[in-house]
């Protein structure tokens, strides 16, 4: 007998990342803690855009401990748009937010975006 499919997360957050070893751990951790504290089911997709530093190994270490974190890789094309499109391909959540890997976005803003979208007829 197969297990029932797990429900889609309420929110998917796509993080395009290129050479973000200096801050990606904190960015993902702060976001996950905030979403969890808010009681939201979530998925965080880190879309690695051909990084040449330790970004991949850092995200892999986080993903091993937390299955809600997914590391994906862009094709060998570089660019922010490529990373966003690649990440969007893996989205399973009902709401999607693009989030900057350098920590310049606030987790509280993601929660506010989610609440605004889910409380009205907004698409973005």
């Amino acid at each position: 007998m197969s297990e029932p499919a797990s429900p889609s997360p309420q929110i998917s957050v796509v993080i395009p990342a290129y050479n973000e070893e200096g801050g990606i751990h904190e960015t993902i951790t702060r976001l996950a803690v905030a979403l969890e504290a808010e009681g939201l089911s979530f998925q965080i997709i880190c879309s690695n855009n051909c990084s040449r530093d330790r970004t991949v190994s850092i995200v892999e270490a986080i993903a091993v401990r937390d299955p809600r974190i997914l590391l994906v890789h862009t094709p060998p094309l570089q660019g922010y748009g490529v990373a966003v499109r690649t990440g969007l391909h893996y989205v399973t959540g009902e709401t999607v937010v693009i989030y900057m890997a350098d920590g310049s976005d606030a987790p509280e803003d993601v929660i506010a975006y989610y609440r605004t979208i889910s409380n009205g007829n907004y698409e973005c």
Side-chain angles (χ1 to χ4, degrees):
M1 183 171 178
S2 63
E3 293 183 31
S6 59
S8 297
Q10 293 168 291
I11 186 167
S12 292
V13 181
V14 175
I15 303 177
Y18 174 71
N19 291 343
E20 298 290 347
E21 72 179 3
I24 194 68
H25 186 277
E26 182 179 354
T27 296
I28 292 172
T29 302
R30 285 184 60 227
L31 179 59
V33 166
L35 293 170
E36 193 166 78
E38 193 66 22
L40 295 173
S41 62
F42 64 90
Q43 143 187 75
I44 296 174
I45 303 163
C46 184
S47 183
N48 175 51
N49 188 221
C50 307
S51 294
R52 295 182 177 154
D53 64 359
R54 294 180 48 245
T55 299
V56 169
S57 61
I58 293 167
V59 176
E60 284 175 337
I62 299 168
V64 164
R65 294 187 315 271
D66 190 339
R68 300 171 296 185
I69 312 303
L70 176 65
L71 173 66
V72 301
H73 301 279
T74 66
L77 301 169
Q78 292 187 350
Y80 178 78
V82 172
V84 170
R85 286 192 309 274
T86 299
L88 290 174
H89 179 74
Y90 294 90
V91 163
T92 61
E94 299 167 9
T95 302
V96 180
V97 173
I98 310 301
Y99 194 79
M100 300 304 292
D102 65 3
S104 60
D105 290 323
E108 298 77 20
D109 289 340
V110 172
I111 294 164
Y113 301 152
Y114 172 78
R115 296 288 180 219
T116 298
I117 291 168
S118 64
N119 287 333
N121 291 322
Y122 302 97
E123 293 181 11
C124 61

